[in-house]
Amino acid sequence: MNEADSRTGLFLCRCGANIADFVDLESVASRMRDRDEVAFVETHDFLCSVAGKEFILETLKGKDVDNVILAACTPKMHLKGFQKTLGKAGVNIAKVHMANIREQCAWITKDRDKATEKARLLINAAIKRSAYHENLQQKTMECLTDVIVIGGGIAGIEAALVAANAGRKVTIIEKDISLGGSIIKTEEIAPNMECAPCLLAPRLTAVRENENIEVVANSEVTDVTGFFGNFTVKVRKKARYVDDSCIGCEACFEACPVSCPSDFHLGLGERKAIYTAFAGSVPASAVIDRERCLHFTDESCSACADSCPFQSIDFSDSDEELEFSGGAVILATGYDNADSSLVRNLGYGDIENVYTTPEFERVASSNGPTGGDIQDRKGNKPESAAVIHCAGSLSSGGLDYCSGICCMNALKVGELIRKQNPDAVVYNIHDRLVFKGPEEQSFYQKQIDDGTIMLKTDSHLSVSIKKKNGKVEISADGIDPVQVDMVVLSTGLVPSAGTDELAEMLHIDTSKAGFFKTDHPILHETGTTIDGINTAGCCISPCSSSSAITRAYAAAGDSVSRLIPGRKLELEIMTAVIDEDVCAGCKLCISVCPYTAITFDPEKKISVVNEAICRGCGTCAASCPSGAASAKHFTNRQIYAEIEGVLNE
């Protein structure tokens, strides 16, 4: 069909006064009625209303039209609704087109004559474009209802439990040897100072006992393909050398002759070459550090195997390549603590009793290297301490952002120290404070009432630290120097290691700070730029534990509510298509496709689009040197016709 043969039905919407007061619709209608390709022109106050849609269907009775154009508001508001309405009249969804004469005309063009002329040209463009529209068929497919959670901290755990309790099979893929994440490394959570291990333990039990949840720990994601409703995640599961019969009884720990720094204790304590992350880990089984185990380094030891009451040691274990399928992926990869190199200027690494807040948390934790007894590196209990806010943050040489949760953690230091030594003197040195809500503000006031001395400097960048008289002296602009036994640097949070690689694998964007980018910061914070991939916890930005869990609920709810057993998913209809007769097999389209939706057919020597994965972005069409690739409903002919309609009569 060409432009001359096409017959278009045109509806004009007054949108109350939104359009009618700025555009002379009667003038527009009069000029459109004179055109041969326009079958009719009708006007209504609100086409999107129930009455308006009934008016559309009634008008079309007995009319023979090829296309329908609705000159109204933005297509984002009502195009799908109009497509559904016109579908009842037998109009294909591709033959329904909207000309936006509200947001793009009436609301921004104050002069009525100019607005009227602009509306006429936008409608003219729509008419010319519609002449080349071709029918498109809506395709559907069965969806997988299982959910894959990447990351096993508190957010990943909660997301998994929500989905599993809704009847979905859930796979948690965790890079560490146990679930737990960061929250298990702290003792109490401010401002209410709730016991973190006490909060986590029952959730770990719930995971362990839930038959719908499979935990794949000590593993890394190597590839992700697919789309909402049908993702495939490939995983490399590292060998543990201890099988599932292990219950974590720790009998082998005493027998193991090797001690080494513990990552769980951030290097402040030791573990054995065979170890668990903490008592009550999930999975419960221990793991052998192959790089340090004497059985692997010089074959001189099998003490763990000899002492194991369950014969769980398996030195022949090897890495596995696994594959999991699910309809949705939830990212809960958490955060990392900022690199300690950012606080070298504050004595970290040079002055013995300078700690970061994560290190202090380990020292103060009952599952920490000192069993929760707060002491310095020489075993002395501090009589005084200073907490430096914003250490390594809000500076050109460090993090250029505020993590938003550090002030609570910084204030918690005084609370924890005074629990063990009520007479201890604690300073907090800052140039600003960030508290969210009345509970955090109350916690701040409590610390002052309990004895924390708040020292406000003119600039946190002016803080300097040095050893003096066997203590640590802190100086800063606007305050007198203070000398203390211990310094705690309140450091910020950064994206977890591997975030960039995972984002590239998933074809999702990252924010300026390097975290996963949300689909929309207000309307869809836990979504990503790829449908079906949601986020939970701190992987989109630093947040409190409660917010991390709230995000987990949102991510799981979003995933589960759309993956209904038996319900078919509607696929994108405006996908790319490749003309087999024109394709030269250069594969350029494959290299530029952001969704990996194009593969190469070696027999035909051409590229092929997987319409189930294609999102119709048009990148392949724009880059194809031979013109073989095109985007349905956005062909060159259609776009040129629309441009011509805007520029000409």
Side-chain angles (χ1 to χ4, degrees):
M1 182 175 294
N2 58 42
E3 186 177 347
D5 297 330
S6 176
R7 294 283 288 168
T8 297
L10 174 61
F11 290 95
L12 305 178
C13 182
R14 298 187 184 93
C15 195
N18 281 292
I19 295 175
D21 278 6
F22 300 95
V23 176
D24 185 351
L25 291 176
E26 289 305 317
S27 171
V28 173
S30 176
R31 295 188 64 173
M32 293 299 164
R33 288 192 183 97
D34 294 336
R35 299 177 62 153
D36 293 338
E37 67 270 41
V38 176
F40 65 83
V41 181
E42 296 290 349
T43 305
H44 193 274
D45 285 339
F46 291 101
L47 287 173
C48 61
S49 66
V50 173
K53 291 177 179 176
E54 291 175 349
F55 172 76
I56 291 171
L57 293 176
E58 191 65 29
T59 301
L60 286 174
K61 286 182 179 177
K63 299 287 196 311
D64 181 18
V65 297
D66 301 304
N67 308 290
V68 174
I69 293 174
L70 304 110
C73 58
T74 169
K76 290 184 177 179
M77 291 284 289
H78 294 297
L79 178 59
K80 287 192 174 181
F82 287 136
Q83 288 175 332
K84 185 177 180 180
T85 297
L86 287 160
K88 297 175 182 176
V91 181
N92 184 269
I93 55 176
K95 296 298 185 73
V96 181
H97 194 81
M98 291 187 70
N100 184 355
I101 62 171
R102 191 178 71 175
E103 286 85 348
Q104 294 181 351
C105 183
W107 282 2
I108 58 173
T109 309
K110 301 302 181 186
D111 184 274
R112 184 175 175 83
D113 290 339
K114 291 181 179 178
T116 300
E117 178 61 9
K118 186 175 182 180
R120 187 186 67 78
L121 289 172
L122 289 172
I123 295 169
N124 186 50
I127 292 172
K128 288 184 173 295
R129 187 191 206 283
S130 296
Y132 298 103
H133 285 178
E134 297 178 352
N135 286 346
L136 297 176
Q137 298 301 318
Q138 181 68 65
K139 297 180 180 179
T140 61
M141 61 166 287
E142 299 283 350
C143 69
L144 302 176
T145 58
D146 296 347
V147 176
I148 299 171
V149 178
I150 301 177
I154 187 63
I157 288 171
E158 289 301 320
L161 285 171
V162 170
N165 290 335
R168 307 299 195 275
K169 296 291 185 183
V170 180
T171 303
I172 304 177
I173 301 167
E174 168 57 42
K175 64 182 178 181
D176 290 335
I177 63 172
S178 169
L179 303 183
S182 299
I183 196 171
I184 190 61
K185 297 178 182 176
T186 188
E187 184 67 10
E188 295 179 83
I189 302 173
N192 298 319
M193 300 304 283
E194 297 204 44
C195 170
C198 303
L199 289 174
L200 184 63
R203 312 312 288 162
L204 290 175
T205 300
V207 169
R208 185 169 51 239
E209 296 179 350
N210 196 313
E211 294 181 350
N212 283 339
I213 299 178
E214 178 183 7
V215 177
V216 185
N218 204 27
S219 303
E220 61 179 353
V221 175
T222 56
D223 192 24
V224 181
T225 57
F227 48 92
F228 176 59
N230 191 358
F231 286 104
T232 299
V233 179
K234 294 182 179 179
V235 172
R236 179 176 298 113
K237 184 180 180 183
K238 300 173 187 173
R240 295 180 82 96
Y241 306 104
V242 182
D243 65 31
D244 294 340
S245 63
C246 173
I247 63 169
C249 71
E250 303 184 1
C252 54
F253 294 2
E254 188 173 343
C256 179
V258 178
S259 294
C260 54
S262 166
D263 293 337
F264 185 70
H265 295 323
L266 306 179
L268 297 173
E270 293 186 333
R271 62 166 170 79
K272 294 299 184 73
I274 183 168
Y275 65 102
T276 57
F278 54 90
S281 295
V282 175
S285 59
V287 62
I288 292 177
D289 183 343
R290 185 186 175 97
E291 301 300 319
R292 299 179 185 275
C293 174
L294 298 179
H295 177 85
F296 290 105
T297 56
D298 61 11
E299 300 182 350
S300 65
C301 183
S302 60
C304 55
D306 298 338
S307 63
C308 178
F310 303 101
Q311 291 77 52
S312 303
I313 308 302
D314 178 11
F315 291 125
S316 66
D317 194 14
S318 59
D319 293 356
E320 297 179 78
E321 301 294 334
L322 304 175
E323 190 171 296
F324 301 93
S325 297
V329 174
I330 296 176
L331 302 174
T333 52
Y335 66 89
D336 281 346
N337 299 307
D339 195 303
S340 59
S341 65
L342 302 179
V343 288
R344 291 284 182 190
N345 63 317
L346 295 174
Y348 183 82
D350 296 325
I351 301 177
E352 191 173 39
N353 288 325
V354 175
Y355 297 80
T356 63
T357 39
E359 290 174 339
F360 177 81
E361 293 273 13
R362 295 309 303 133
V363 172
S365 294
S366 54
N367 62 9
T370 61
D373 184 25
I374 298 174
Q375 54 187 246
D376 62 22
R377 287 185 169 86
K378 291 182 177 177
N380 301 315
K381 298 182 74 67
E383 297 292 330
S384 58
V387 186
I388 312 301
H389 289 232
C390 305
S393 297
L394 300 169
S395 65
S396 58
L399 306 184
D400 60 0
Y401 56 84
C402 168
S403 295
I405 63 171
C406 310
C407 285
M408 271 292 98
N409 292 333
L411 286 174
K412 194 171 65 175
V413 172
E415 177 85 6
L416 293 172
I417 289 179
R418 280 193 295 272
K419 278 187 177 181
Q420 299 185 17
N421 181 6
D423 295 327
V425 178
V426 179
Y427 302 95
N428 270 234
I429 299 172
H430 65 95
D431 67 1
R432 73 200 74 185
L433 293 170
V434 176
F435 301 125
K436 298 176 179 176
E439 289 190 348
E440 293 192 357
Q441 187 69 31
S442 295
F443 184 75
Y444 163 63
Q445 188 59 51
K446 178 179 183 298
Q447 299 315 302
I448 295 176
D449 295 342
D450 288 351
T452 291
I453 301 169
M454 305 298 295
L455 298 177
K456 186 178 186 308
T457 175
D458 297 336
S459 169
H460 73 285
L461 300 178
S462 68
V463 173
S464 64
I465 297 176
K466 64 181 180 181
K467 289 191 290 186
K468 188 172 184 180
N469 302 326
K471 290 182 176 290
V472 185
E473 182 176 276
I474 304 101
S475 303
D477 292 348
I479 66 172
D480 294 330
V482 294
Q483 294 182 2
V484 294
D485 298 324
M486 173 184 284
V487 170
V488 180
L489 304 176
S490 180
T491 50
L493 277 56
V494 298
S496 63
T499 294
D500 285 341
E501 292 78 4
L502 193 53
E504 184 175 355
M505 207 180 294
L506 294 163
H507 310 292
I508 61 177
D509 297 331
T510 55
S511 65
K512 180 183 176 184
F515 294 90
F516 295 126
K517 187 176 182 179
T518 64
D519 180 30
H520 193 285
I522 298 173
L523 298 175
H524 196 201
E525 185 187 38
T526 57
T528 68
T529 46
I530 294 293
D531 191 23
I533 300 177
N534 288 311
T535 61
C538 292
C539 63
I540 52 174
S541 64
C543 67
S544 65
S545 299
S546 60
S547 294
I549 292 171
T550 301
R551 289 175 177 176
Y553 273 77
D558 192 6
S559 302
V560 169
S561 64
R562 299 174 61 201
L563 296 173
I564 306 299
R567 180 187 294 177
K568 292 186 176 180
L569 295 177
E570 292 186 350
L571 300 181
E572 176 63 53
I573 60 173
M574 296 177 188
T575 61
V577 61
I578 293 178
D579 188 332
E580 292 188 7
D581 296 330
V582 180
C583 179
C586 70
K587 303 180 184 179
L588 183 58
C589 54
I590 298 175
S591 66
V592 300
C593 177
Y595 302 100
T596 61
I598 306 177
T599 55
F600 188 72
D601 185 332
E603 293 186 3
K604 294 183 178 179
K605 295 183 174 23
I606 59 170
S607 295
V608 179
V609 176
N610 184 336
E611 293 191 2
I613 301 177
C614 178
R615 313 312 296 167
C617 69
T619 305
C620 58
S623 61
C624 180
S626 64
S630 61
K632 294 178 183 175
H633 206 62
F634 289 93
T635 64
N636 288 343
R637 188 169 59 179
Q638 291 166 345
I639 294 172
Y640 288 150
E642 189 170 10
I643 295 172
E644 181 185 355
V646 172
L647 298 177
N648 302 308
E649 285 292 332

